[in-house]
């Protein structure tokens, strides 16, 4: 089961977290609405808090894509000719090619990376 938060892209972070908490509570108690379980959606799964380095998702219809987030780790990183340590997490994307293509997926992952470089701006 992959319950959905509708119109998540239009919500503030506070409202999104409020709806997520409510959705998880209702999912665990078996009180989800049919539309929350049947609409095509993108699923985000974070197994990083369990120590998993990367997630390779398997899409189960009606899902159209899955974004997997792995754990944050320190890694050597070269930038502007300098080598340093940086916090890095692996993000993966599995998508249904009947709905989208690799170019759109690559653009999405690149944009997500850009946004996460300055989380205070979100």
């Amino acid at each position: 089961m992959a319950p959905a938060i509708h119109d998540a892209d239009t919500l503030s972070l506070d409202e999104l977290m409020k709806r997520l908490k409510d959705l998880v509570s209702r999912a665990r108690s078996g009180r989800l609405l049919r539309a929350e379980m049947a609409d095509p959606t993108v699923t985000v799964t974070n197994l990083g808090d369990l120590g998993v380095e990367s997630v390779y998702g398997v899409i189960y219809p009606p899902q159209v894509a899955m974004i997997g987030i792995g754990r944050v780790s320190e890694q050597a990183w070269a930038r502007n000719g300098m080598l340093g340590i940086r916090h890095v997490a692996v993000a993966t994307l599995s998508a249904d090619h009947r709905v989208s293509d690799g170019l759109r997926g690559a653009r999405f992952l690149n944009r997500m990376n850009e946004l996460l470089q300055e989380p205070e701006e979100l």
Side-chain angles (χ1 to χ4, degrees), residues 13 115-116 118-122:
L13 187 55
L115 293 169
L116 291 175
E118 298 182 36
E120 63 279 356
E121 299 295 322
L122 293 175

Side-chain angles (χ1 to χ4, degrees), residues 16-106:
L16 182 62
M17 294 310 296
K18 179 181 170 186
R19 290 195 189 181
L20 178 61
K21 184 177 179 181
D22 173 63
L23 186 69
V24 168
S25 173
R26 289 186 298 107
R28 289 181 176 160
S29 66
R31 297 182 296 123
L32 290 174
L33 302 174
R34 178 180 170 96
E36 291 170 324
M37 296 183 291
D39 288 350
T41 186
V42 174
T43 300
V44 178
T45 185
N46 172 13
L47 298 179
D49 57 346
L50 299 174
V52 174
E53 289 188 20
S54 57
V55 179
Y56 299 98
V58 175
I59 301 164
Y60 185 78
Q63 291 173 308
V64 295
M66 179 178 284
I67 303 159
I69 312 281
R71 70 179 171 89
V72 176
S73 62
E74 289 185 342
Q75 294 185 11
W77 199 269
R79 185 171 182 176
N80 297 327
M82 299 294 292
L83 186 60
I85 301 297
R86 191 168 188 183
H87 290 96
V88 175
V90 174
T92 59
L93 176 65
S94 301
D96 185 338
H97 277 263
R98 294 173 294 180
V99 178
S100 188
D101 60 28
L103 178 61
R104 180 171 282 174

